[in-house]
Amino acid sequence: MSQPNPPNSDDEQLDVIAEKLRLIRITSQQRRYPGRTTPRLPSRSVVIRLLSNVVGALYPRHFGPAGLNAQTVDIFVAQTLRTIRQRLTEQLELEWLLQPDAEQLPCRRRARTDADAFMAGLPQIRDLHDTDINAAFQGDPSAKSLDEIVLCFPGIAAILRHRIAHSLYKLGAPMLARIMAEHSHSLSGIDIHPGAKIGPACFIDHGTGVVIGETAVIGRNVRIYQQVTLGAKRFESDGEGGLVKGQPRHPLVGDDVVIYAGANILGRIEIGKGAVIGGGVWLTDSVPPGAVVTQAKPSLNT
């Protein structure tokens, strides 16, 4: 007669840990969603696939399936747009159901309406991003073709994904927008908050280490090099130890500005039209139009 297996002390220890984690999780969820069932979260993997779908629909020859021709490309785009609308509607509903006192039917209706609004804005995103591609071609002597820029330039990839995420941010879906933005950040090394407003013909050259904050505003035909920060100088407190959120705290960059590598531009200051900010500059004061700001020239002591 076989003997029952003795209790496994290692498994018992894991059961204890699992129970402790369950209690912590329940307490946290009850604090965030008092008096109601814990809602589902948007899916990070679905949102990332959604971003890839949008990029493919906007530039199917570059990011669609291999072998598309003049006949099949239109079919691919039409089918992809339907997929985008369905997935986006589902994810928008999930985000809005996270809000206090959210009700499913109003959230579902809003999700359908705003998904349609996002879809209607895709041609504008494509037109706007074409200005970025042309700016890169005009501004980089190493660029041999527009196709090379679309396929290979990390700054161009980051700007396109930002324009998509920014469209969702304006619709009131900051979580979906932030998932897209952080995925783009992981791919390109360029960190652009989806709330930042970026005008036409923006070219981020090289790009690694660029940081653009939530309330930054960038004008037309601006060129930015690697390791540039458009950041906040300080964070306002509410007097009780918390931070005041949503306040304008990042720079305003005018049209035709060039910002060279390693510049740090901090606070709600204005960089006037046509100004040039040199490499490595630390800037916390506004700059008039046409100004050139550089570091002190290094001296060589022998």
Side-chain angles (χ1 to χ4, degrees), residues 117-175:
F118 174 84
M119 303 303 293
L122 290 179
Q124 182 182 4
I125 292 176
R126 167 69 200 238
D127 282 342
L128 192 56
H129 189 59
D130 280 351
T131 69
D132 304 324
I133 297 166
N134 287 323
F137 186 74
Q138 296 297 325
D140 189 343
S142 76
K144 301 301 187 290
S145 70
L146 297 178
D147 288 329
E148 177 193 10
I149 291 168
V150 176
L151 284 170
C152 305
F153 279 37
I156 290 299
I159 287 290
L160 173 58
R161 285 154 182 80
H162 169 74
R163 297 201 185 282
I164 295 166
H166 182 66
S167 179
L168 288 174
Y169 186 89
K170 291 191 299 181
L171 288 172
M175 184 178 292

Side-chain angles (χ1 to χ4, degrees), residues 83 162 187 196 198-199 246 290:
T83 298
H162 169 74
L187 295 176
I198 300 180

Side-chain angles (χ1 to χ4, degrees), residues 5-279:
N5 293 327
N8 187 317
S9 60
D10 290 340
D11 286 346
E12 289 177 353
Q13 182 183 22
L14 292 179
D15 290 341
V16 171
I17 294 171
E19 176 62 15
K20 289 180 179 179
L21 290 174
R22 185 184 74 84
L23 293 174
I24 294 171
R25 188 171 63 250
I26 290 174
T27 301
S28 174
Q29 291 170 350
Q30 288 175 343
R31 185 167 55 248
R32 281 179 287 165
Y33 312 109
R36 63 180 177 132
T37 303
T38 301
R40 289 171 54 205
L41 289 167
S43 166
R44 180 178 173 84
S45 61
V46 170
V47 173
I48 290 171
R49 287 200 304 273
L50 175 62
L51 176 61
S52 178
N53 291 150
V54 176
V55 171
L58 293 175
Y59 292 91
R61 193 166 65 89
H62 300 85
F63 300 111
L68 289 177
N69 56 39
Q71 288 73 40
T72 58
V73 68
D74 290 332
I75 297 172
F76 164 75
V77 170
Q79 292 174 340
T80 302
L81 291 177
R82 292 182 177 88
T83 298
I84 293 168
R85 183 174 60 185
Q86 177 186 348
R87 288 179 177 170
L88 179 58
T89 301
E90 294 168 354
Q91 296 303 307
L92 285 171
E93 180 181 342
L94 289 174
E95 174 162 355
W96 289 326
L97 283 171
L98 297 175
Q99 301 302 315
D101 303 322
E103 296 181 6
Q104 188 161 39
L105 186 56
C107 288
R108 182 163 298 171
R109 288 172 176 166
R110 180 185 173 192
R112 290 171 179 169
T113 299
D114 283 1
D116 286 341
F118 174 84
M119 303 303 293
L122 290 179
Q124 182 182 4
I125 292 176
R126 167 69 200 238
D127 282 342
L128 192 56
H129 189 59
D130 280 351
T131 69
D132 304 324
I133 297 166
N134 287 323
F137 186 74
Q138 296 297 325
D140 189 343
S142 76
K144 301 301 187 290
S145 70
L146 297 178
D147 288 329
E148 177 193 10
I149 291 168
V150 176
L151 284 170
C152 305
F153 279 37
I156 290 299
I159 287 290
L160 173 58
R161 285 154 182 80
H162 169 74
R163 297 201 185 282
I164 295 166
H166 182 66
S167 179
L168 288 174
Y169 186 89
K170 291 191 299 181
L171 288 172
M175 184 178 292
L176 301 191
R178 195 65 178 264
I179 291 171
M180 291 183 177
E182 293 306 328
H183 179 65
S184 175
H185 180 196
S186 71
L187 295 176
S188 66
I190 298 168
D191 183 1
I192 310 175
H193 191 284
K197 299 177 182 178
I198 300 180
C202 182
F203 177 34
I204 299 177
D205 198 359
H206 303 296
T208 303
V210 165
V211 177
I212 301 175
E214 177 186 16
T215 63
V217 179
I218 298 174
R220 175 186 295 271
N221 194 35
V222 171
R223 192 187 319 168
I224 299 172
Y225 287 84
Q226 68 272 20
Q227 298 291 337
V228 165
T229 297
L230 302 180
K233 183 179 179 181
R234 63 175 63 90
F235 302 114
E236 292 186 29
S237 171
D238 61 8
E240 299 179 357
L243 295 179
V244 178
K245 298 181 181 291
Q247 295 297 311
R249 60 195 183 278
H250 300 100
L252 305 170
V253 180
D255 297 345
D256 305 315
V257 168
V258 179
I259 307 174
Y260 284 101
N264 289 276
I265 303 174
L266 306 178
R268 194 62 167 185
I269 62 175
E270 185 170 354
I271 309 302
K273 179 177 179 177
V276 176
I277 310 301

